[in-house]
Amino acid sequence: MSQAEPLYSGFPAIDSSKWKSRVLEELKGADYSKIVWKTPDGFAMEPWYNRHTALPSPAVPFNRSSNVWRICQQIAVADPTAASAAAEAALTGGADSIEFLLDGNIDTDGLALLMQHVDLAKVPVYFSGAIGDASSLLDDLMKLPGFTSNTGAILLDALDASRSTIPFKAADLRPAGFRTLAVDTIPFHKAGATISQEIAITLAGVSEYLSRLTDEGIDASEAAASIEIIVAAGTSHFPELSRLRALRAMWPQLLDAYGVSPSNRPEPRIFVRTSHRTASALDPYTNILRLSTEATSSILGGCDTLQLDAFDPAGSVSTELTDRITRNIHLLLKEESGLDRVVDPAAGSWYIETMTASLCREAWKIFQEIEAAGGLLRAESNGMIAAMIAPAAEALKKDIHTRKRSLIGINRFTVQPSAEVVAAAVKAAGETGEALSFEQLRLRMLTHAGKTGSTPRASLWLHGDATKYLRVAAFAEDFLRCGGFEVEQGLPLDLSTKSCRAILQNEPDIVVFCWTGEDDLISVPAICATIQELRKETVVIMAAKPPENAGELIKAGLDKFIYTGCDAYASLLSLQHKTGVL
């Protein structure tokens, strides 16, 4: 190709109709909807877009020359001196901003100790946790050298009635760049809200502040410049990336409604935390992959500050190692991947632009409903927000329980944790009461094994076409391991009652039929009866979708069918009951 020829000129353009025709051929009769994603937010995403099929791109304003984000490390403050040393180590190790997680009011002397290794004129500082009197904290901070140049924030949502509130007039006391009010959507994220719902709640929170602050006589532009937006980043890459772009696209529209002119419009400032919804306590090193995905989405979406939680939430690994590895995710994405060099790198992708536009539409619709109900606080108090989130939370729970949504190391492809990880996870679960449903199953099994010295085992009875039954066996093994069961190597056996003694040789608690023959089901009643006679306490299940005569097979002694799309959590919980774990 000569230099005068356009790039890719050797590849002919393909229009949508030709592309779809080829796809339909490849689907071999399957419905096209099979490859169209119905998102949790209620809109459909085609697998491919071009300039003719994409939704009109929303303007996503960025008033910056690079994509640099703040590398923030959270430090718990129990002892100011120890927390100060930890902050110094974090800054030396690559962090460029610090979040201090307070456990109560801190006096002026304690605050001075806390900041002894922090150059407040250069290092943004954030405060969260049990802040207590935020106005007093701000007053004390204002006395510290260099603080008037600080560009951090007090991460306390004053709209949350369960916490201490910041007087609304505190907004005009802030030093330039430091933000004293926050809209924190993480509680709604934890409750199971969809991305469009979280965006709408963010807008409603900002609107609530603007309304109240302007009523107090504060300029709307000044009020907007006092707000820090806090969001959680999940592991669904394109939606999470598009979420931040959608927020930035809708920000001007909201400020316009309060009379803020474009020339006087502050940029939104977005503080991103990683989500706790999918963090594993029993497989901490897999969390490094989750954190990397969440960080990449946040950075490409245009976050201002990114705070990654330690990859080991239970604390089985040393704090020094977890802090260093977690910080290095930032540094690798910055120094080796160069994600800080391009502003809005997703711009121009028809797929991402369409997703951004779709999120804007859905979120704005929900935002208007919240505003029509009297604003965020009223919508929360009358139960509207909870009722809005409940179906999405239930759908998310169902997707996880049926394993439609894969959580590696949690509801798929689990690994046996080390003794240190188990001890830390059991302790953490006992202290916080928080654990993902599948991890609760495994923690219960691990506790049972610690008390009894044994773990319920399953034997796989293989029969039929080996290329098929090996796939079925792999499914069954993964399924049962997610509930903490031990799975023995499968045994290829014929379907005679004589084979029952072989499958029961090691006295398994569960026998799984991994049979692939068309007529195999005929043998189920006789074999179940023989197993019942030889070892009454053994539970018999089949790895297959229930056939038409499933009820008859259950009556004949089969306990249940396990298959792709079944409620795996309910099945595993039931098996724990029947094997004496519960």
Side-chain angles (χ1 to χ4, degrees):
M1 185 179 76
S2 70
Q3 292 184 348
E5 290 181 275
L7 190 63
Y8 304 128
S9 61
F11 299 92
I14 301 296
D15 63 28
S16 299
S17 59
K18 289 181 180 178
W19 178 85
K20 192 167 183 178
S21 297
R22 181 61 183 271
V23 168
L24 291 173
E25 288 178 19
E26 296 290 334
L27 286 172
K28 298 178 181 178
D31 193 88
Y32 177 73
S33 62
K34 181 180 179 181
I35 60 171
V36 175
W37 179 31
K38 184 66 178 295
T39 70
D41 295 276
F43 56 84
M45 288 295 296
E46 298 273 345
W48 179 64
Y49 289 93
N50 61 19
R51 67 178 69 251
H52 305 294
T53 59
L55 290 179
S57 304
V60 183
F62 282 90
N63 185 24
R64 55 169 86 169
S65 59
S66 72
N67 200 38
V68 173
W69 69 95
R70 293 175 177 176
I71 301 172
C72 184
Q73 182 164 323
Q74 185 186 84
I75 294 172
V77 180
D79 171 52
T81 302
S84 176
E88 182 182 26
L91 294 171
T92 302
D96 54 24
S97 59
I98 299 294
E99 176 191 355
F100 290 110
L101 180 66
L102 304 181
D103 63 357
N105 285 325
I106 184 168
D107 59 24
T108 305
D109 292 338
L111 200 59
L113 277 174
L114 191 61
M115 299 299 167
Q116 61 183 319
H117 299 301
V118 179
D119 185 347
L120 289 174
K122 297 179 180 179
V123 178
V125 290
Y126 298 86
F127 297 90
S128 61
I131 289 175
D133 189 340
S135 291
S136 295
L137 173 62
L138 185 59
D139 289 340
D140 289 339
L141 286 169
M142 293 285 284
K143 300 171 186 175
L144 297 178
F147 180 73
T148 55
S149 300
N150 202 272
T151 56
I154 295 176
L155 304 178
L156 185 72
D157 193 338
L159 300 176
D160 187 342
S162 68
R163 303 175 183 173
S164 301
T165 59
I166 304 172
F168 287 107
K169 287 187 178 180
D172 59 5
L173 298 176
R174 67 179 182 85
F178 191 85
R179 308 215 168 186
T180 54
L181 303 174
V183 175
D184 188 353
T185 62
I186 291 180
F188 306 101
H189 172 84
K190 288 182 177 178
T194 66
I195 287 177
S196 59
Q197 288 171 345
E198 289 182 50
I199 296 171
I201 291 168
T202 299
L203 296 174
V206 173
S207 179
E208 189 85 40
Y209 275 133
L210 294 180
S211 176
R212 292 182 173 228
L213 290 166
T214 52
D215 285 348
E216 294 285 344
I218 297 171
D219 179 74
S221 176
E222 183 77 2
S226 301
I227 300 171
E228 188 91 4
I229 296 170
I230 309 170
V231 300
T235 54
S236 189
H237 177 62
F238 290 122
E240 294 295 344
L241 190 162
S242 301
R243 172 225 297 270
L244 300 188
R245 299 183 79 250
L247 261 177
R248 290 188 178 278
M250 300 169 78
W251 177 263
Q253 188 173 347
L254 179 59
L255 295 195
D256 285 347
Y258 283 90
V260 179
S261 65
S263 61
N264 201 30
R265 181 191 300 147
E267 275 205 272
R269 211 168 71 185
I270 304 173
F271 186 104
V272 178
R273 300 190 190 281
T274 45
S275 172
H276 291 175
R277 287 202 307 209
T278 57
S280 171
L282 292 173
D283 190 3
Y285 289 97
T286 301
N287 291 332
I288 297 174
L289 302 179
R290 293 191 180 92
L291 290 172
S292 299
T293 298
E294 292 166 346
T296 302
S297 304
S298 303
I299 294 162
L300 296 180
C303 70
D304 294 289
T305 306
L306 179 59
Q307 184 263 313
L308 302 180
D309 282 340
F311 72 84
D312 178 21
S316 62
V317 184
S318 72
T319 302
E320 181 182 0
L321 177 62
T322 54
D323 287 346
R324 181 169 63 84
I325 295 297
T326 304
R327 274 198 310 270
N328 283 351
I329 294 173
H330 289 275
L331 300 176
L332 286 169
L333 293 176
K334 180 181 178 183
E335 303 297 341
E336 296 196 17
S337 300
L339 298 190
D340 61 329
R341 298 176 186 173
V342 180
V343 177
D344 196 12
S349 162
W350 301 118
Y351 186 88
I352 295 175
E353 294 284 15
T354 297
M355 182 169 282
T356 302
S358 298
L359 285 173
C360 286
R361 291 182 179 186
E362 292 299 317
W364 193 259
K365 188 193 318 179
I366 298 169
F367 167 63
Q368 289 179 313
E369 292 172 359
I370 295 173
E371 291 294 279
L376 181 59
L377 290 181
R378 187 166 296 178
E380 275 196 272
S381 63
N382 65 22
M384 174 188 169
I385 300 296
M388 176 183 74
I389 292 175
E394 188 59 34
L396 176 63
K397 180 180 176 181
K398 181 180 178 181
D399 283 350
I400 292 174
H401 282 192
T402 59
R403 307 204 305 171
K404 180 180 179 181
R405 181 173 181 185
S406 296
L407 303 178
I408 305 303
I410 297 173
N411 69 357
R412 285 188 186 273
F413 311 120
T414 58
V415 296
Q416 182 63 31
S418 67
E420 294 80 10
V421 169
V422 172
V426 169
K427 180 181 178 182
E431 291 176 349
T432 65
E434 293 183 2
L436 291 168
S437 53
F438 279 87
E439 296 218 317
Q440 287 175 337
L441 291 174
R442 293 175 66 204
L443 283 168
R444 187 181 300 121
M445 186 70 82
L446 290 165
T447 301
H448 171 80
K451 291 178 179 178
T452 64
S454 65
T455 301
R457 290 175 292 105
S459 289
L460 308 181
W461 185 327
L462 312 179
H463 180 76
D465 182 344
T467 60
K468 293 181 180 179
Y469 72 55
L470 289 175
R471 290 198 300 269
V472 176
F475 162 81
E477 180 176 359
D478 180 54
F479 188 102
L480 292 167
R481 288 192 186 282
C482 289
F485 294 94
E486 287 186 6
V487 182
E488 297 177 346
Q489 186 174 357
L491 287 176
L493 300 167
D494 60 36
L495 298 186
S496 67
T497 54
K498 294 179 181 178
S499 297
C500 293
R501 292 189 181 279
I503 201 71
L504 294 175
Q505 183 176 2
N506 294 328
E507 299 184 344
D509 301 274
I510 302 168
V511 168
V512 187
F513 294 161
C514 302
W515 301 349
T516 62
E518 293 182 3
D519 300 324
D520 290 352
L521 295 179
I522 297 172
S523 304
V524 168
I527 289 179
C528 283
T530 304
I531 290 175
Q532 179 78 0
E533 181 182 338
L534 293 172
R535 195 169 190 272
K536 185 176 181 180
E537 61 269 33
T538 298
V539 180
V540 182
I541 65 177
M542 174 167 275
K545 287 189 175 181
E548 290 183 3
N549 66 333
E552 297 175 12
L553 298 177
I554 296 296
K555 289 180 182 178
L558 201 61
D559 185 78
K560 67 173 78 284
F561 294 86
I562 61 172
Y563 54 93
T564 300
C566 76
D567 190 332
Y569 174 75
S571 296
L572 292 167
L573 184 64
S574 171
L575 289 172
Q576 284 194 350
H577 273 285
K578 291 175 181 178
T579 55
V581 178
L582 281 171

